Amino acid sequence: MPNAVSLQSITKSFGPKIAVSDLDLEIPEGSLTGFIGPNGAGKTTTIRMIMSIIFPDSGELSVLGKSSAVESKDRIGYLPEERGVYKKMRVQAFLEYMARLKGIDGAGLSTAVLTWLARVGLADSARKKCEELSKGMQQKVQYIAAVIHNPDLIILDEPFSGLDPLNSRLLRELIDEQSKSGRTIIFSTHQMVQAEALCDRIVMIHQGRKVIDDSPSTLRAQFDPRALSVEFESDTEPPNLRSLHGVDSVLSHGRWLELRTTAGVTPASIMPHVAALAPTRRIEVLRPSLEDIFIEIVQSSGDASDSAALRDKLRTPAGVGARSEGAGD
Amino acid sequence: MITKTLHVALREFKATVLTKGFILGVLIMPFLMMGAVPAAMLLVSRTPPAVDGSVAIIDRSSDAQPVAAALTQALSPASIETWVREQTEETTEQATAAVKKVAGDIPVPDADAAIKTAAASIVVPKVQSEVLPADTDEKPAKDALIGGDPYDGSRLALIVIHPTAVNKPDADENFGGYSLFIKKGLDARVQGMIREKTRSAIFEARAAANGLDPVRVRTITRIDAPDTVTWTEDGEKSSGEAAQFLVPVGFMLLLWISVFTGGQYLLTSTIEEKSNRIMEVLLSALSPMELMSGKIIGQMCAGLLILVLYSVLGVSSLIAFQQSHLVNWANLALLVVYFFIAFATIACMMAAVGSAVNDIHEAQALMTPFMLVLIAPMLLMMPIIMNPNGALATTLSFTPLINPFVMVLRLSSSDPPPFWQVGLSIIIGAATVYVLALGAAKVFRIGILMYGKPPNFATLVRWVKMA
């Protein structure tokens, strides 16, 4: 399958800060790729280079078969992290304006806009000024502006930030629809759960470098589970649990315990022995989350940061504060 | 793609001109001003207020005190009332003429009646004259001016006629005059009335001392100044000297207002788009250059609308006042050419600054050096009009950034510049725009995605070099 996006040895610096370093990336056509990493990892910078909003210092780049997105902007839908609307413009007029900028015009435009507004539950907001909409509603309008011209490639930078659970679910459905209709989708997020739920491909970036590039299932297969989740009927921990052969450590999470196994011992192999110690309500193998995988990779690559700090970094929502020249995260 | 640029331009134009601020500020203001001028003339009266007090006179000109006698007569209630009526009639006649000029053929039925009503309701100042002996000590006489107010019957003024005011000992010397001391806060129009009456009284005393009839001397020495008439191919055209200054100033102000109004809108709309975080959304559809060009074209059209509208109003007024010969139609065409150069110059700066800053306050700080340069033609307006082909005017005509304004001044002056200078200034202006556009595009491309600490002038220069 040909690639919708291809990056080869891309490097971008802002002054002394290297935002993206020697990045290779290939996004096959029709794939739904999650671009994940903590704030400041280089996600937005990479996306902006794909969009030709900023340009790499070195390396080769190809988007939809062209050497630059400039030549195929009308085939790309982009929802940037820094997104807004014309506050004084009416919603329908704003969407029609954006569609015209994407090369869509003609009699069917108004109908297309109204259909999209109805699809996201904003049918009665067409004549409202954008400033009258809530932040979540504005975000849905911005999403429509990104996809109204039926692009072949859709790039969404932190599309879920600021959305309530209901609207997050709606957006997931919309992204899923676009994916099923064969479009290539790249979306960046710091929420690993969203990426795990949606993507058929995960690219993880840390400090400007790619640390993961695979499907979620392959990733999980690569990173064998090495822990059990156990909930005993009694509130007290069985006395011989920690001295059980193959148990490396026991972490308490309130009502349940996390048992980490020593190297070479599978969680499944010690499961009967744990169950024999005391009656259990629940016992299951703990599958590693993307977050766990990310932390393991970063730590194995020599990063001195401890797990808690890395988890905090991953869970902090992307900010909109001061930043250096052109650099997002 | 040119279509995208035009879509941006159209949105920018509509978002600017279809706002209440633009319509009220730009479109309605000239009409309000046209009505305000005659209204102000009606309201501003030259007649003095109803003061009540005395005017003391010390006549040291001779023992007979001829000036004091004439002044006492001139300051009598009947004489003052006659004088006030004459002043009121003169003012109302001028106001009527102004109203009729503006109204043209439109009948103004109530104007005459209103003027008559105004004339009927005049108030006459109550002034009593008080002749003091010629050897009176000035100090206590002046002290009587202190305290009270001009309406309580106290002393309003002290006039001291100098000893040589009427008779001079030496034929080669000039006559003496008079000193006027007034109460604090005395209305300027009352002062004017006292001055005029004193001058007249001295004149009468001098005439009498020389055996002349004052009325006859006044008649002999009076020569009314004629209206200057310009002789053209079409015959006589009146041409006041004031008009020769007003036309260049009008042309330059027209250019200045249209360029800076459009430029200011460009600056604020760029800052607004940036603060609304709409820039990156737009950049997903078009290039920074297309976006900047579209914005400049849109605001240029808004500026051009102002220029055309005000030009039409100005030319219509001149035609209405039979002054159309003051407008050179070729100059109007050149005004449009210089508008494009001036606007593009300002627009490049506004777009660059607007893209680099986060709010209007930061923009003002960054615009200060540019504004100091651009204000120069306003400050040098009079020297340029007085000597439109002098070294200063010629040098400034070839100075980048300000040459459109200077050339517009010179073109509409009484002595327009030679054609080669017009051509050269246009070439310099176009080259300036080209260089500025290259720099502005680079700053714009970097600036629109920048937030946080605003750049200083040196940073802008660095962006131009690095981009």
Side-chain angles (χ1 to χ4, degrees), chain A residues 190-214:
Chain A
H190 65 281
Q191 294 175 19
M192 305 285 180
V193 183
Q194 302 283 15
E196 278 187 285
L198 265 172
C199 300
D200 52 35
R201 186 183 171 86
I202 298 288
V203 174
M204 194 179 278
I205 290 194
H206 179 56
Q207 293 179 344
R209 291 178 180 278
K210 187 172 74 177
V211 290
I212 293 174
D213 183 359
D214 226 322

PDB file of all heavy atoms in Angstrom, chain A residues 190-214:
ATOM      1  N   HIS A 190      -2.233  13.208  23.761  1.00  0.00           N
ATOM      2  CA  HIS A 190      -1.418  12.765  24.897  1.00  0.00           C
ATOM      3  C   HIS A 190      -2.236  11.781  25.717  1.00  0.00           C
ATOM      4  O   HIS A 190      -1.785  11.282  26.732  1.00  0.00           O
ATOM      5  CB  HIS A 190      -0.967  13.963  25.733  1.00  0.00           C
ATOM      6  CG  HIS A 190      -2.106  14.659  26.390  1.00  0.00           C
ATOM      7  ND1 HIS A 190      -2.913  15.528  25.712  1.00  0.00           N
ATOM      8  CD2 HIS A 190      -2.586  14.578  27.643  1.00  0.00           C
ATOM      9  CE1 HIS A 190      -3.841  15.981  26.536  1.00  0.00           C
ATOM     10  NE2 HIS A 190      -3.665  15.409  27.706  1.00  0.00           N
ATOM     11  N   GLN A 191      -3.500  11.537  25.269  1.00  0.00           N
ATOM     12  CA  GLN A 191      -4.343  10.581  25.981  1.00  0.00           C
ATOM     13  C   GLN A 191      -4.167   9.195  25.355  1.00  0.00           C
ATOM     14  O   GLN A 191      -4.709   8.904  24.288  1.00  0.00           O
ATOM     15  CB  GLN A 191      -5.814  11.001  25.891  1.00  0.00           C
ATOM     16  CG  GLN A 191      -6.088  12.308  26.614  1.00  0.00           C
ATOM     17  CD  GLN A 191      -7.521  12.764  26.406  1.00  0.00           C
ATOM     18  OE1 GLN A 191      -8.400  11.981  26.041  1.00  0.00           O
ATOM     19  NE2 GLN A 191      -7.751  14.043  26.636  1.00  0.00           N
ATOM     20  N   MET A 192      -3.393   8.353  26.011  1.00  0.00           N
ATOM     21  CA  MET A 192      -3.056   7.033  25.469  1.00  0.00           C
ATOM     22  C   MET A 192      -4.318   6.186  25.263  1.00  0.00           C
ATOM     23  O   MET A 192      -4.392   5.395  24.339  1.00  0.00           O
ATOM     24  CB  MET A 192      -2.104   6.310  26.418  1.00  0.00           C
ATOM     25  CG  MET A 192      -0.863   7.106  26.742  1.00  0.00           C
ATOM     26  SD  MET A 192       0.270   7.102  25.360  1.00  0.00           S
ATOM     27  CE  MET A 192       1.599   8.088  26.008  1.00  0.00           C
ATOM     28  N   VAL A 193      -5.290   6.401  26.152  1.00  0.00           N
ATOM     29  CA  VAL A 193      -6.501   5.581  26.076  1.00  0.00           C
ATOM     30  C   VAL A 193      -7.222   5.801  24.743  1.00  0.00           C
ATOM     31  O   VAL A 193      -7.681   4.856  24.105  1.00  0.00           O
ATOM     32  CB  VAL A 193      -7.447   5.942  27.252  1.00  0.00           C
ATOM     33  CG1 VAL A 193      -8.683   5.075  27.250  1.00  0.00           C
ATOM     34  CG2 VAL A 193      -6.694   5.832  28.570  1.00  0.00           C
ATOM     35  N   GLN A 194      -7.302   7.063  24.323  1.00  0.00           N
ATOM     36  CA  GLN A 194      -7.968   7.380  23.056  1.00  0.00           C
ATOM     37  C   GLN A 194      -7.230   6.694  21.906  1.00  0.00           C
ATOM     38  O   GLN A 194      -7.850   6.139  20.998  1.00  0.00           O
ATOM     39  CB  GLN A 194      -7.963   8.903  22.814  1.00  0.00           C
ATOM     40  CG  GLN A 194      -8.628   9.721  23.895  1.00  0.00           C
ATOM     41  CD  GLN A 194     -10.140   9.676  23.811  1.00  0.00           C
ATOM     42  OE1 GLN A 194     -10.694   8.819  23.108  1.00  0.00           O
ATOM     43  NE2 GLN A 194     -10.796  10.549  24.538  1.00  0.00           N
ATOM     44  N   ALA A 195      -5.913   6.771  21.955  1.00  0.00           N
ATOM     45  CA  ALA A 195      -5.109   6.176  20.881  1.00  0.00           C
ATOM     46  C   ALA A 195      -5.301   4.661  20.850  1.00  0.00           C
ATOM     47  O   ALA A 195      -5.481   4.063  19.773  1.00  0.00           O
ATOM     48  CB  ALA A 195      -3.640   6.529  21.090  1.00  0.00           C
ATOM     49  N   GLU A 196      -5.291   4.044  22.028  1.00  0.00           N
ATOM     50  CA  GLU A 196      -5.460   2.580  22.087  1.00  0.00           C
ATOM     51  C   GLU A 196      -6.799   2.150  21.542  1.00  0.00           C
ATOM     52  O   GLU A 196      -6.931   1.151  20.852  1.00  0.00           O
ATOM     53  CB  GLU A 196      -5.325   2.101  23.545  1.00  0.00           C
ATOM     54  CG  GLU A 196      -3.899   1.935  23.993  1.00  0.00           C
ATOM     55  CD  GLU A 196      -3.831   1.307  25.377  1.00  0.00           C
ATOM     56  OE1 GLU A 196      -4.112   2.050  26.333  1.00  0.00           O
ATOM     57  OE2 GLU A 196      -3.507   0.128  25.479  1.00  0.00           O
ATOM     58  N   ALA A 197      -7.834   2.965  21.849  1.00  0.00           N
ATOM     59  CA  ALA A 197      -9.189   2.596  21.448  1.00  0.00           C
ATOM     60  C   ALA A 197      -9.415   2.755  19.952  1.00  0.00           C
ATOM     61  O   ALA A 197     -10.191   2.019  19.354  1.00  0.00           O
ATOM     62  CB  ALA A 197     -10.188   3.451  22.226  1.00  0.00           C
ATOM     63  N   LEU A 198      -8.740   3.725  19.331  1.00  0.00           N
ATOM     64  CA  LEU A 198      -9.070   4.084  17.949  1.00  0.00           C
ATOM     65  C   LEU A 198      -8.097   3.575  16.895  1.00  0.00           C
ATOM     66  O   LEU A 198      -8.500   3.175  15.803  1.00  0.00           O
ATOM     67  CB  LEU A 198      -9.097   5.608  17.834  1.00  0.00           C
ATOM     68  CG  LEU A 198     -10.437   6.320  17.989  1.00  0.00           C
ATOM     69  CD1 LEU A 198     -10.204   7.823  18.045  1.00  0.00           C
ATOM     70  CD2 LEU A 198     -11.361   5.983  16.838  1.00  0.00           C
ATOM     71  N   CYS A 199      -6.813   3.588  17.241  1.00  0.00           N
ATOM     72  CA  CYS A 199      -5.805   3.508  16.167  1.00  0.00           C
ATOM     73  C   CYS A 199      -5.475   2.087  15.732  1.00  0.00           C
ATOM     74  O   CYS A 199      -5.526   1.159  16.518  1.00  0.00           O
ATOM     75  CB  CYS A 199      -4.511   4.158  16.631  1.00  0.00           C
ATOM     76  SG  CYS A 199      -4.782   5.845  17.023  1.00  0.00           S
ATOM     77  N   ASP A 200      -5.115   1.973  14.455  1.00  0.00           N
ATOM     78  CA  ASP A 200      -4.554   0.707  14.011  1.00  0.00           C
ATOM     79  C   ASP A 200      -3.037   0.825  13.946  1.00  0.00           C
ATOM     80  O   ASP A 200      -2.346  -0.088  13.515  1.00  0.00           O
ATOM     81  CB  ASP A 200      -5.148   0.275  12.662  1.00  0.00           C
ATOM     82  CG  ASP A 200      -5.067   1.356  11.614  1.00  0.00           C
ATOM     83  OD1 ASP A 200      -4.068   2.104  11.613  1.00  0.00           O
ATOM     84  OD2 ASP A 200      -6.002   1.461  10.802  1.00  0.00           O
ATOM     85  N   ARG A 201      -2.551   1.980  14.347  1.00  0.00           N
ATOM     86  CA  ARG A 201      -1.107   2.194  14.293  1.00  0.00           C
ATOM     87  C   ARG A 201      -0.744   3.271  15.319  1.00  0.00           C
ATOM     88  O   ARG A 201      -1.453   4.265  15.460  1.00  0.00           O
ATOM     89  CB  ARG A 201      -0.749   2.673  12.883  1.00  0.00           C
ATOM     90  CG  ARG A 201       0.701   2.807  12.602  1.00  0.00           C
ATOM     91  CD  ARG A 201       0.823   3.361  11.183  1.00  0.00           C
ATOM     92  NE  ARG A 201       2.204   3.705  10.921  1.00  0.00           N
ATOM     93  CZ  ARG A 201       3.084   2.821  10.474  1.00  0.00           C
ATOM     94  NH1 ARG A 201       2.721   1.599  10.214  1.00  0.00           N
ATOM     95  NH2 ARG A 201       4.327   3.195  10.264  1.00  0.00           N
ATOM     96  N   ILE A 202       0.354   3.048  16.012  1.00  0.00           N
ATOM     97  CA  ILE A 202       0.781   3.995  17.054  1.00  0.00           C
ATOM     98  C   ILE A 202       2.206   4.464  16.746  1.00  0.00           C
ATOM     99  O   ILE A 202       3.098   3.661  16.501  1.00  0.00           O
ATOM    100  CB  ILE A 202       0.798   3.307  18.448  1.00  0.00           C
ATOM    101  CG1 ILE A 202      -0.588   2.830  18.853  1.00  0.00           C
ATOM    102  CG2 ILE A 202       1.401   4.240  19.502  1.00  0.00           C
ATOM    103  CD1 ILE A 202      -1.536   3.915  19.233  1.00  0.00           C
ATOM    104  N   VAL A 203       2.373   5.782  16.745  1.00  0.00           N
ATOM    105  CA  VAL A 203       3.714   6.350  16.645  1.00  0.00           C
ATOM    106  C   VAL A 203       3.928   7.163  17.907  1.00  0.00           C
ATOM    107  O   VAL A 203       3.122   8.033  18.228  1.00  0.00           O
ATOM    108  CB  VAL A 203       3.859   7.259  15.404  1.00  0.00           C
ATOM    109  CG1 VAL A 203       5.222   7.950  15.402  1.00  0.00           C
ATOM    110  CG2 VAL A 203       3.664   6.459  14.132  1.00  0.00           C
ATOM    111  N   MET A 204       4.982   6.824  18.617  1.00  0.00           N
ATOM    112  CA  MET A 204       5.240   7.543  19.858  1.00  0.00           C
ATOM    113  C   MET A 204       6.540   8.326  19.735  1.00  0.00           C
ATOM    114  O   MET A 204       7.542   7.810  19.242  1.00  0.00           O
ATOM    115  CB  MET A 204       5.329   6.553  21.016  1.00  0.00           C
ATOM    116  CG  MET A 204       5.258   7.222  22.363  1.00  0.00           C
ATOM    117  SD  MET A 204       5.336   5.999  23.664  1.00  0.00           S
ATOM    118  CE  MET A 204       3.662   5.435  23.735  1.00  0.00           C
ATOM    119  N   ILE A 205       6.469   9.591  20.167  1.00  0.00           N
ATOM    120  CA  ILE A 205       7.642  10.466  20.053  1.00  0.00           C
ATOM    121  C   ILE A 205       8.060  10.914  21.445  1.00  0.00           C
ATOM    122  O   ILE A 205       7.206  11.210  22.290  1.00  0.00           O
ATOM    123  CB  ILE A 205       7.305  11.693  19.171  1.00  0.00           C
ATOM    124  CG1 ILE A 205       7.146  11.246  17.727  1.00  0.00           C
ATOM    125  CG2 ILE A 205       8.362  12.754  19.274  1.00  0.00           C
ATOM    126  CD1 ILE A 205       7.156  12.359  16.730  1.00  0.00           C
ATOM    127  N   HIS A 206       9.343  10.925  21.673  1.00  0.00           N
ATOM    128  CA  HIS A 206       9.867  11.416  22.943  1.00  0.00           C
ATOM    129  C   HIS A 206      11.127  12.219  22.663  1.00  0.00           C
ATOM    130  O   HIS A 206      12.038  11.727  22.000  1.00  0.00           O
ATOM    131  CB  HIS A 206      10.178  10.230  23.873  1.00  0.00           C
ATOM    132  CG  HIS A 206      10.736  10.654  25.197  1.00  0.00           C
ATOM    133  ND1 HIS A 206      10.084  11.520  26.030  1.00  0.00           N
ATOM    134  CD2 HIS A 206      11.897  10.323  25.816  1.00  0.00           C
ATOM    135  CE1 HIS A 206      10.808  11.707  27.123  1.00  0.00           C
ATOM    136  NE2 HIS A 206      11.924  10.997  27.013  1.00  0.00           N
ATOM    137  N   GLN A 207      11.134  13.462  23.137  1.00  0.00           N
ATOM    138  CA  GLN A 207      12.265  14.377  22.937  1.00  0.00           C
ATOM    139  C   GLN A 207      12.692  14.459  21.469  1.00  0.00           C
ATOM    140  O   GLN A 207      13.872  14.377  21.137  1.00  0.00           O
ATOM    141  CB  GLN A 207      13.435  13.953  23.827  1.00  0.00           C
ATOM    142  CG  GLN A 207      13.101  14.137  25.300  1.00  0.00           C
ATOM    143  CD  GLN A 207      14.206  13.714  26.231  1.00  0.00           C
ATOM    144  OE1 GLN A 207      15.130  13.007  25.824  1.00  0.00           O
ATOM    145  NE2 GLN A 207      14.108  14.105  27.487  1.00  0.00           N
ATOM    146  N   GLY A 208      11.687  14.586  20.606  1.00  0.00           N
ATOM    147  CA  GLY A 208      11.972  14.784  19.188  1.00  0.00           C
ATOM    148  C   GLY A 208      12.343  13.530  18.429  1.00  0.00           C
ATOM    149  O   GLY A 208      12.610  13.580  17.228  1.00  0.00           O
ATOM    150  N   ARG A 209      12.378  12.393  19.127  1.00  0.00           N
ATOM    151  CA  ARG A 209      12.754  11.136  18.461  1.00  0.00           C
ATOM    152  C   ARG A 209      11.610  10.148  18.521  1.00  0.00           C
ATOM    153  O   ARG A 209      10.860  10.111  19.490  1.00  0.00           O
ATOM    154  CB  ARG A 209      13.978  10.509  19.142  1.00  0.00           C
ATOM    155  CG  ARG A 209      15.240  11.289  18.924  1.00  0.00           C
ATOM    156  CD  ARG A 209      16.405  10.658  19.649  1.00  0.00           C
ATOM    157  NE  ARG A 209      17.612  11.416  19.427  1.00  0.00           N
ATOM    158  CZ  ARG A 209      18.376  11.290  18.340  1.00  0.00           C
ATOM    159  NH1 ARG A 209      18.062  10.394  17.421  1.00  0.00           N
ATOM    160  NH2 ARG A 209      19.454  12.029  18.190  1.00  0.00           N
ATOM    161  N   LYS A 210      11.530   9.330  17.473  1.00  0.00           N
ATOM    162  CA  LYS A 210      10.486   8.308  17.451  1.00  0.00           C
ATOM    163  C   LYS A 210      10.936   7.141  18.321  1.00  0.00           C
ATOM    164  O   LYS A 210      12.048   6.621  18.149  1.00  0.00           O
ATOM    165  CB  LYS A 210      10.272   7.844  16.005  1.00  0.00           C
ATOM    166  CG  LYS A 210       9.110   6.926  15.836  1.00  0.00           C
ATOM    167  CD  LYS A 210       8.848   6.670  14.369  1.00  0.00           C
ATOM    168  CE  LYS A 210       9.893   5.728  13.774  1.00  0.00           C
ATOM    169  NZ  LYS A 210       9.614   5.400  12.361  1.00  0.00           N
ATOM    170  N   VAL A 211      10.086   6.759  19.275  1.00  0.00           N
ATOM    171  CA  VAL A 211      10.472   5.629  20.136  1.00  0.00           C
ATOM    172  C   VAL A 211       9.598   4.400  19.879  1.00  0.00           C
ATOM    173  O   VAL A 211       9.989   3.279  20.217  1.00  0.00           O
ATOM    174  CB  VAL A 211      10.440   6.014  21.639  1.00  0.00           C
ATOM    175  CG1 VAL A 211      11.564   6.976  21.973  1.00  0.00           C
ATOM    176  CG2 VAL A 211       9.103   6.617  22.042  1.00  0.00           C
ATOM    177  N   ILE A 212       8.410   4.610  19.317  1.00  0.00           N
ATOM    178  CA  ILE A 212       7.534   3.476  18.984  1.00  0.00           C
ATOM    179  C   ILE A 212       6.897   3.751  17.630  1.00  0.00           C
ATOM    180  O   ILE A 212       6.502   4.879  17.340  1.00  0.00           O
ATOM    181  CB  ILE A 212       6.408   3.300  20.031  1.00  0.00           C
ATOM    182  CG1 ILE A 212       6.975   2.880  21.389  1.00  0.00           C
ATOM    183  CG2 ILE A 212       5.358   2.292  19.560  1.00  0.00           C
ATOM    184  CD1 ILE A 212       5.943   2.839  22.492  1.00  0.00           C
ATOM    185  N   ASP A 213       6.759   2.722  16.815  1.00  0.00           N
ATOM    186  CA  ASP A 213       6.038   2.848  15.545  1.00  0.00           C
ATOM    187  C   ASP A 213       5.512   1.460  15.195  1.00  0.00           C
ATOM    188  O   ASP A 213       6.187   0.665  14.535  1.00  0.00           O
ATOM    189  CB  ASP A 213       6.994   3.373  14.457  1.00  0.00           C
ATOM    190  CG  ASP A 213       6.283   3.586  13.128  1.00  0.00           C
ATOM    191  OD1 ASP A 213       5.073   3.311  13.051  1.00  0.00           O
ATOM    192  OD2 ASP A 213       6.949   4.046  12.169  1.00  0.00           O
ATOM    193  N   ASP A 214       4.303   1.152  15.675  1.00  0.00           N
ATOM    194  CA  ASP A 214       3.772  -0.190  15.446  1.00  0.00           C
ATOM    195  C   ASP A 214       2.268  -0.203  15.702  1.00  0.00           C
ATOM    196  O   ASP A 214       1.712   0.793  16.143  1.00  0.00           O
ATOM    197  CB  ASP A 214       4.465  -1.193  16.374  1.00  0.00           C
ATOM    198  CG  ASP A 214       4.889  -2.437  15.613  1.00  0.00           C
ATOM    199  OD1 ASP A 214       4.101  -2.851  14.737  1.00  0.00           O
ATOM    200  OD2 ASP A 214       5.972  -2.959  15.898  1.00  0.00           O
TER     201      ASP A 214
END
